[in-house]
């Protein structure tokens, strides 16, 4: 039987000079052999958890209704759908059901209106209950969470509920609209469920982000993916970053003397990739297996539970340092990850009041972004550095743009 994904590994430099310890990067990619069409995709268990607090009045609520209408219009009769609305109260607008009666769903959507404050945990609790009605091994579960404001006093409850949703095998796509929401909280909710978080600057873009979420769910090939790395003695992983579909510091969990594991979650569309930063010990000239990568996964559409794919990761060493060849696409990815790391550290330094360090890192990131052709984002970095130097704070919109735009630098990897 053909595996649902192909696993490959490419080094940033090879061969390496022999006789010295050194750093190298390896890009490990998991790409689907076949992306299912919408009609051939596994059935979904799709839950929308939507903020309808008073701050959603006007264009926001209008665009939200339009986006939800488009979502349900693109579901199939075999897909399960539920819609939960929250403010400081709760309404389960559409209890979990099959999407086989479009007029009834569209009629329900017309009643979405704004009111009250914001208590996100109410929505997540109800969303979890609705998901449990249909979640099964052969369904791809997804929560689409949208909010435009802060939730007060229930952040830890939200985090606990996100973990429960993740434990159910469902990922959360957490979307923040405008500038008044808590990005740290939405990031935590996404991370706890192996999902994604993102920033919507303009209400007119809600539908685009909703459709991207639905498309990701519909093209999911593999779920519960975990990457296990078995390392040669002396090989030390320094960091592991996801680079596709977006950049994130995944960290890693040691599970033995020379084994580490990384959680990847779903693999959809163009696949998933991780960049591993490793310190290599001295080696003599020759080719050696540095590591073995094992992808563990479930593939509901193929009826596969606890599938495994293994590949060896060899690396060559040469006595002539000039023989070393750089792989430009991988180094381009390394530069994008570096820009992301600098931005992340800069915002942390700014929050801690270390203005000099924050501005230095912002400008270092801006330089890399200019080299990568990301002119607009580089300008936002420079403007933010100037705001800090002038004694001010980074504008909320700029801060969110920096945080989320740098995550997307690798969405189109160099070929």
């Amino acid at each position: 039987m053909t595996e649902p994904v192909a696993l490959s590994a490419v080094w940033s430099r090879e061969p390496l000079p022999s006789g010295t310890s050194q750093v190298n990067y390896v890009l490990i990619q998991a790409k689907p052999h076949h992306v299912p069409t919408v009609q051939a995709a596994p059935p979904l268990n799709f839950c929308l958890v939507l903020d309808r607090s008073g701050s959603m009045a006007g264009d926001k609520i209008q665009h939200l209704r339009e986006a939800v209408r488009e979502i349900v219009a693109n579901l199939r009769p075999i897909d399960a759908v539920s819609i939960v609305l929250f403010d400081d109260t709760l309404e389960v607008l559409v209890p979990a059901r099959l999407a086989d009666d479009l007029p009834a769903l569209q009629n329900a959507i017309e009643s979405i209106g704004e009111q009250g404050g914001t208590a996100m945990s109410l929505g997540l609790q109800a969303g979890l209950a609705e998901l449990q009605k249909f979640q099964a091994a052969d369904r791809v579960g997804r929560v689409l969470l949208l909010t435009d404001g802060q939730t007060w006093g229930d952040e830890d409850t939200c985090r606990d509920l996100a973990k429960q949703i993740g434990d159910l095998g469902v990922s959360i796509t957490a979307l923040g609209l405008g500038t008044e929401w808590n990005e740290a909280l939405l990031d935590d909710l996404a991370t706890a469920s192996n999902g994604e978080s993102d920033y919507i600057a303009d209400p007119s873009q809600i539908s685009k982000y909703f459709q991207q979420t639905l498309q990701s769910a519909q093209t999911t090939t593999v779920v519960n993916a975990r990457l296990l790395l078995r390392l040669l003695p002396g090989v030390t992983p320094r960091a592991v970053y996801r680079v596709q579909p977006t950049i994130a510091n995944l960290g890693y969990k040691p599970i033995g003397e020379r084994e580490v594991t990384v959680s990847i979650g779903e693999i959809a569309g163009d696949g998933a990739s991780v960049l591993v930063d490793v310190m290599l010990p001295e080696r003599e000239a020759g080719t050696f297996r540095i590591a073995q990568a094992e992808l563990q996964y479930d593939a509901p559409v193929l009826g596969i539970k606890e599938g495994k794919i293994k590949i060896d990761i060899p690396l060559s060493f040469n006595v002539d340092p000039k023989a070393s060849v750089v792989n430009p696409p991988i180094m381009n990815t390394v530069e994008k990850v570096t820009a992301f790391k600098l931005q992340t550290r800069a915002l942390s330094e700014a929050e801690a009041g270390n203005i000099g360090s924050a501005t230095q890192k912002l400008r270092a990131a801006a330089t890399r972004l200019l080299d990568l052709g990301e002119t607009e984002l580089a300008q936002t970095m420079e403007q933010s550095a100037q705001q800090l130097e002038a004694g001010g704070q980074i504008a909320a919109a700029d801060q969110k743009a920096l945080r989320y735009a740098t995550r997307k630098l690798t969405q189109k990897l160099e070929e």
Side-chain angles (χ1 to χ4, degrees):
M1 181 182 66
T2 302
E3 301 287 357
V5 297
L7 195 62
S8 63
V10 184
W11 291 98
S12 63
R13 291 186 298 136
E14 188 176 9
L16 294 184
S18 59
T20 182
S21 60
Q22 55 206 300
V23 171
N24 204 1
Y25 300 89
V26 60
L27 182 72
I28 302 173
Q29 296 178 295
K31 289 192 172 183
H33 282 296
H34 173 69
V35 178
T37 63
V38 171
Q39 293 306 316
L44 304 182
N45 185 15
F46 202 87
C47 178
L48 296 98
V49 178
L50 308 173
D51 184 346
R52 65 164 181 194
S53 59
S55 56
M56 287 289 294
D59 284 349
K60 291 181 181 179
I61 205 73
Q62 177 182 340
H63 285 296
L64 176 62
R65 281 194 297 267
E66 293 172 357
V68 179
R69 279 197 293 266
E70 290 184 28
I71 283 284
V72 301
N74 287 313
L75 292 174
R76 301 162 299 172
I78 62 171
D79 295 326
V81 63
S82 52
I83 303 175
V84 173
L85 308 177
F86 69 92
D87 46 90
D88 49 9
T89 63
L90 174 72
E91 180 183 358
V92 180
L93 182 69
V94 176
R97 53 164 296 167
L98 294 178
D100 55 0
D101 188 345
L102 182 59
L105 291 171
Q106 298 286 20
N107 286 338
I109 292 165
E110 292 305 313
S111 68
I112 297 176
E114 78 286 345
Q115 65 182 51
T118 305
M120 188 186 297
S121 63
L122 296 177
L124 290 173
Q125 180 72 64
L128 174 61
E130 296 306 315
L131 287 165
Q132 289 170 332
K133 297 176 182 178
F134 276 89
Q135 189 59 14
D138 62 345
R139 286 188 182 271
V140 173
R142 183 66 58 90
V143 169
L144 196 165
L145 169 68
L146 176 84
T147 185
D148 78 331
Q150 302 271 354
T151 186
W152 300 105
D154 62 345
E155 291 90 347
D156 287 343
T157 302
C158 290
R159 293 183 177 95
D160 179 65
L161 288 165
K163 184 179 183 305
Q164 293 181 52
I165 290 171
D167 290 344
L168 191 64
V170 177
S171 64
I172 298 174
T173 298
L175 302 175
L177 174 62
T179 62
E180 301 304 319
W181 48 278
N182 182 345
E183 60 261 35
L185 175 60
L186 291 200
D187 288 352
D188 287 348
L189 302 184
T191 299
S193 62
N194 283 318
E196 296 283 344
S197 56
D198 212 338
Y199 163 47
I200 306 176
D202 187 333
S204 67
Q205 297 298 302
I206 294 175
S207 184
K208 181 186 81 170
Y209 283 84
F210 276 27
Q211 289 301 315
Q212 288 174 349
T213 302
L214 179 59
Q215 182 181 30
S216 172
Q218 290 172 332
T219 60
T220 293
T221 304
V222 161
V223 298
N224 301 325
R226 293 86 62 200
L227 183 66
L228 174 65
L229 292 176
R230 299 182 177 94
L231 306 168
L232 197 74
V235 177
T236 304
R238 305 198 310 170
V240 180
Y241 279 85
R242 183 184 65 204
V243 295
Q244 198 178 26
T246 57
I247 302 175
N249 186 349
L250 297 180
Y252 58 85
K253 179 181 178 182
I255 59 173
E257 186 178 349
R258 296 195 304 273
E259 294 184 338
V260 299
T261 185
V262 180
S263 178
I264 296 176
E266 296 179 349
I267 299 178
D270 293 331
S273 306
V274 298
L275 185 73
V276 187
D277 176 348
V278 295
M279 174 63 74
L280 299 163
E282 295 182 16
R283 300 297 299 186
E284 59 188 17
T287 300
F288 306 90
R289 186 180 75 168
I290 298 300
Q292 182 186 72
E294 179 180 300
L295 185 72
Q296 304 168 350
Y297 66 92
D298 300 327
V301 69
L302 297 177
I304 298 175
K305 184 71 173 176
E306 298 181 353
K308 293 180 181 179
I309 306 170
K310 297 180 183 179
I311 60 167
D312 289 336
I313 306 178
L315 178 62
S316 297
F317 296 79
N318 194 294
V319 293
D320 181 5
K322 295 181 181 178
S324 184
V325 177
V326 172
N327 185 313
I330 306 302
M331 290 309 300
N332 178 277
T333 298
V334 171
E335 284 297 296
K336 291 174 179 178
V337 170
T338 301
F340 169 81
K341 289 192 290 186
L342 286 167
Q343 168 272 137
T344 301
R345 292 170 182 170
L347 293 182
S348 295
E349 295 279 10
E351 187 175 351
N354 301 324
I355 303 304
S357 179
T359 55
Q360 182 183 41
K361 289 180 174 63
L362 283 170
R363 290 198 165 107
T367 298
R368 281 176 164 80
L369 290 168
L370 284 173
D371 291 341
L372 292 166
E374 298 286 343
T375 306
E376 184 176 344
L377 187 55
Q379 290 174 345
T380 303
M381 293 271 188
E382 176 59 32
Q383 291 168 3
S384 298
Q386 292 175 4
Q387 290 168 358
L388 290 175
E389 285 181 332
Q393 295 181 334
I394 302 175
D398 287 346
Q399 186 173 134
K400 286 178 168 58
L402 294 179
R403 188 183 300 272
Y404 291 94
T406 52
R407 295 181 186 184
K408 300 178 182 179
L409 289 171
T410 53
Q411 285 193 340
K412 292 184 179 180
L413 291 175
E414 297 290 333
E415 298 294 338

